[in-house]
Amino acid sequence: DAYHHYEEVAEYVTAYCTERPETYLILSGDGEILARFRQLLPPHAQGKIIDTTDLNWHTTHERILHVARRLLEEHEIQEDRESVRLVLDSAARGGLGVIGLSDTLLAVNSGLVHKLVMHSDFQRLGWRCQDCHYIGSGKEITSQCTVCNGAAMAVELGDAMVTEVLRHDGFFEPVAADAQLAEHDGIGALLRHL
């Protein structure tokens, strides 16, 4: 019967989402059937649903891919906006957020960054100490660390900051160009709870 089929599909989808946590789901179908199917999914799988659409059995594979790509792009744009808003709001409230290159760099060097949010096309020159790992910026690239006097080398600042954040078990989220974040050098961060 149809309900048994939906149960099998829900089990498969649940297992798939468990094995691949980065998965997003887009559901399609008749409203009543779709509602029943959703109820068969556990909360963690339901949380992966980013949208629903009204495709049917006669829809071509090309059309399905087109719709899925469009919905995924819209979802990613929305996620980027939410991340930027969260960083800007946290920084404005004096909370666990910083914006702008100098404040973000200070937080990165202090190991305080939980999530680095940066324009995906961010590029600046800087330097990194080979001894103490301190990252510096400025118009002049130094060959000597201003913190420990160790040897410093020129680096792409964005890459160096991402490496340092990941080294301290933080996260990195590249975001599409955002006008509000651009006012703050295209970079900000959410900080760890102190």
Side-chain angles (χ1 to χ4, degrees), residues 44-92:
H44 82 274
Q46 287 186 28
K48 301 291 187 177
I49 299 170
I50 61 170
D51 213 333
T52 59
T53 185
D54 60 355
L55 303 175
N56 61 44
W57 291 103
H58 305 295
T59 306
T60 65
H61 285 77
E62 291 79 16
R63 176 76 181 137
I64 292 170
L65 285 173
H66 174 76
V67 170
R69 282 188 187 114
R70 181 180 52 80
L71 293 174
L72 186 57
E73 285 173 10
E74 289 172 6
H75 176 74
E76 288 174 348
I77 289 168
Q78 186 59 34
E79 275 191 332
D80 285 359
R81 283 187 190 131
E82 288 174 16
S83 292
V84 168
R85 183 192 51 75
L86 185 58
V87 168
L88 293 172
D89 288 353
S90 295

Side-chain angles (χ1 to χ4, degrees), residues 89 103 120 146 150 160 175 179:
D89 288 353
D103 288 348
S120 53
T146 58
V175 295

Side-chain angles (χ1 to χ4, degrees), residues 15-179:
Y16 191 90
C17 288
T18 301
E19 292 171 15
R20 296 168 184 86
E22 71 284 355
T23 299
Y24 292 119
L25 298 174
I26 299 169
L27 301 183
S28 181
D30 177 60
E32 186 178 318
I33 294 170
L34 205 54
R36 277 217 222 118
F37 179 74
R38 276 182 102 141
Q39 291 175 342
L40 295 171
L41 296 173
H44 82 274
Q46 287 186 28
K48 301 291 187 177
I49 299 170
I50 61 170
D51 213 333
T52 59
T53 185
D54 60 355
L55 303 175
N56 61 44
W57 291 103
H58 305 295
T59 306
T60 65
H61 285 77
E62 291 79 16
R63 176 76 181 137
I64 292 170
L65 285 173
H66 174 76
V67 170
R69 282 188 187 114
R70 181 180 52 80
L71 293 174
L72 186 57
E73 285 173 10
E74 289 172 6
H75 176 74
E76 288 174 348
I77 289 168
Q78 186 59 34
E79 275 191 332
D80 285 359
R81 283 187 190 131
E82 288 174 16
S83 292
V84 168
R85 183 192 51 75
L86 185 58
V87 168
L88 293 172
D89 288 353
S90 295
R93 288 193 320 268
L96 294 174
V98 292
I99 50 177
L101 181 58
S102 61
D103 288 348
T104 303
L105 191 53
L106 179 63
V108 168
N109 280 319
S110 302
L112 297 175
V113 174
H114 170 67
K115 183 193 281 187
L116 179 65
V117 176
M118 181 169 61
H119 282 172
S120 53
D121 63 354
F122 180 92
Q123 284 200 328
R124 301 263 176 107
L125 281 178
W127 56 270
R128 181 178 190 127
C129 179
Q130 294 178 323
D131 296 329
C132 73
H133 302 289
Y134 185 85
I135 303 167
S137 68
K139 295 197 185 315
E140 292 185 26
I141 305 302
T142 182
S143 61
Q144 188 173 23
C145 177
T146 58
V147 175
C148 75
N149 294 322
M153 58 185 250
V155 293
E156 197 290 307
L157 213 45
D159 290 344
M161 287 191 286
V162 169
T163 299
E164 189 66 11
V165 167
L166 296 177
R167 194 168 82 84
H168 285 94
D169 298 322
F171 301 92
F172 167 57
E173 185 171 352
V175 295
D178 177 274

